Each structure stands twice: as C-alpha cells, then as structure tokens.
Amino acid sequence: MSTTSPIPVLRSSDGALLRFDGDALVLRRKNEEVRIPLLAIGCVRSEGRSLSVELTAPSGTVPAVHRVDDVSAAAADLFAEAVNAVLPERPAGADGSKLVTTRAVIESQQERDKRRRRRWGTAVVLVCAGLAVAVAAHGVWTFAFLIMLIGPVGALLTAVGADMARLRYRSWYLLRHGVTVEARRVGETRILGGEFGAFVYTDMHGVDRSVNVKSRSATVQVAYHPSKPGIVTEYGSRSSRAGDTVAALCFLVFGLIIDATVIGVAIGSFQGMYPGY
C-alpha cells in the first residue's frame, strides 16, 4: 500500500519548495530550510499563485507569516485545503513562531555542478563570438558565421561528454567506496527537459541532502562520499552504466572533432588560406 501523501509539493519559480511532512510543513529555500509544525499553524491561505502559512499568535499581536509566491494556483488551492483539514487542536493564544525551527542548507553537488555549467556555457559563447569577430575582421565572413554557429555545438558536446565521463568515474568510485543509504522522494524536478524525482537522504552527520534521480519509486538507494557527503550517486543496472559510458565517449569524441575543425578553420582564416570566402 502506498504511503505517499496526496498533498502536492509546491515549487516556486525561484526554487523555493514547500511540502507536507507528516506533522509539519517544510519550506526549503536556497540557503535555509524552515520546519513549521502543524501545532504552530493558525491557517493556510491560497491567494491565486501565492500561498501564505499564518502562524498562531498571542491575542493582540500580528501573527508571523511564511509565504511562497509564483506557484501553481490549482496546486496552492489543493495544498491549503488539505493542510487546513488536518490541522490539530492548537492552544489558544500560543506563539507558533517559537515552535518553528530554521537550519542552514548546504549546497548539494548537483547545484554546484549546475552553476559551473552555466558559467562554462557563458564563457564558451563569449569565446566563440570573439573568435568569429576576429575571423570576420580578416574578411572571411562565411567562416565567421560557421564558427558562431557550430563552435558552441562542439564545445557543448565536449563539455557534456567530459561531464558524463566524470560522473561515470565518480559513480564507479562511490559504489565501491561510498556509504549506501536510502533516499526518500519529496517531489519532482526537470533537468534539460527530462523529468527527475527529487529525493532527500540523511548523511552520517544527520544533515539532510538532496539528489535528483530518474526514478518513480518512493525510495531509492544512493551512495555518498564518506568525507564529502554532498557528493552522491544513485545505484543503477550494469547495462545502464555501460550505456552511459559509451554515450560519454561518443559525445566527447564528436565534440573534440568539431572543436579541432573550428580551430583549424580559424587559424587558416588568419593565414589567408581561404580567399574569396
């Protein structure tokens, strides 16, 4: 029998996530996680694409409010209705803010990787644009256009292949030397157009960490680095690991071929090897 909560997970456009966790609501932002016990909640209000969690407060004082904006209006309505229906009896005049706990969130390895990819992507586009301008300055406009068109493609294929190879090595290492734990599903996310499950695991220090796994299961097994618990990989079949390795090599080889071609064309343009183009 499934134990998955029917209460939806709310995710805002800025990455904030609000979910129901048994006897509390958990509001996770980029740098912090706020746990709001149901006993501390006065009511939950849906306001279009925003949702407010109003805490209980002593008479005559303004109650504290935790708010999530830019979420699905339909999901917010369902979330508010479902949570209000399960709120327990609360003591009159209690200060709910005293029951709320906040802890800092350590950035996951996936989040660091995502930020690094954005920076590299920006750098690649700037380099290709500069190279195309230099080639155009030598009068070779056709190749300048081609460099701007296929240069980023080659760099992207190379970067994807190198990153996949790095992840394959990391997975191989962690499956042999890492610490295996069970991660529980807390929501869904999309990466490069693909749907992934958002899972949370607890490391040996009691810190909750997140990992994205392409799985529909309620729980999955993951292995993390014993000295760097934020570095984690999921278990997978041998066939899937072999397929990922072959794909990494294909991306890497094709990307390097395109990169070499672009560099060769640029050098030839600087040396005047392509008159009339």
Side-chain angles (χ1 to χ4, degrees):
M1 182 175 66
S2 174
T3 58
T4 303
S5 170
I7 301 177
V9 175
L10 299 184
R11 185 182 294 273
S12 70
S13 60
D14 64 359
L17 183 145
L18 180 65
R19 60 183 175 86
F20 177 77
D21 188 27
D23 61 348
L25 299 183
V26 178
L27 175 59
R28 184 182 178 93
R29 300 190 187 278
K30 182 178 181 180
N31 298 316
E32 68 175 11
E33 183 176 272
V34 181
R35 186 173 182 84
I36 310 170
L38 297 184
L39 285 171
I41 300 175
C43 65
V44 180
R45 292 193 177 92
S46 172
E47 304 164 347
R49 297 195 62 189
S50 299
L51 184 130
S52 299
V53 180
E54 183 178 298
L55 306 184
T56 57
S59 178
T61 63
V62 178
V65 176
H66 293 274
R67 185 182 179 90
V68 181
D69 297 312
D70 198 19
V71 298
S72 165
D77 290 340
L78 179 58
F79 188 96
E81 181 180 354
V83 173
N84 285 327
V86 298
L87 290 178
E89 291 287 337
R90 283 90 71 201
D95 187 356
S97 60
K98 294 182 178 180
L99 301 177
V100 175
T101 57
T102 302
R103 70 172 184 84
V105 174
I106 300 175
E107 186 180 37
S108 69
Q109 184 64 37
Q110 286 80 8
E111 291 166 338
R112 286 194 290 271
D113 290 345
K114 186 176 181 180
R115 187 177 68 252
R116 188 184 69 251
R117 292 187 190 106
R118 285 199 298 267
R119 290 176 177 174
W120 273 106
T122 302
V124 165
V125 171
L126 292 176
V127 169
C128 289
L131 194 59
V133 169
V135 170
H138 282 73
V140 192
W141 289 94
T142 300
F143 287 148
F145 174 76
L146 290 177
I147 287 174
M148 197 60 209
L149 185 65
I150 69 172
V153 175
L156 175 62
L157 291 176
T158 303
V160 169
D163 196 50
M164 290 177 66
R166 179 183 63 85
L167 293 176
R168 288 308 319 137
Y169 172 76
R170 189 175 76 183
S171 178
W172 173 87
Y173 179 86
L174 292 178
L175 292 179
R176 286 160 178 76
H177 307 288
V179 179
T180 302
V181 294
E182 191 172 75
R184 55 188 173 84
R185 189 186 194 93
V186 296
E188 292 76 32
T189 187
R190 295 185 69 85
I191 301 176
L192 299 177
E195 294 184 0
F196 286 75
F199 290 82
V200 170
Y201 65 98
T202 305
D203 66 21
M204 65 180 72
H205 305 294
V207 178
D208 288 341
R209 300 178 183 273
S210 62
V211 59
N212 298 319
V213 181
K214 198 170 184 61
S215 172
R216 297 183 178 275
S217 302
T219 60
V220 295
Q221 284 191 337
V222 297
Y224 65 84
H225 197 290
S227 60
K228 301 176 182 178
I231 299 178
V232 62
T233 189
E234 74 277 8
Y235 273 79
S237 65
R238 287 187 176 182
S239 60
S240 66
R241 294 198 294 269
D244 289 343
T245 301
V246 172
L249 291 175
C250 289
F251 276 108
L252 190 57
V253 170
F254 287 133
L256 289 174
I257 290 174
I258 295 176
D259 293 339
T261 302
V262 168
I263 293 173
V265 167
I267 293 174
S269 299
F270 297 152
Q271 295 178 344
M273 295 174 60
Y274 311 110
Y277 284 89

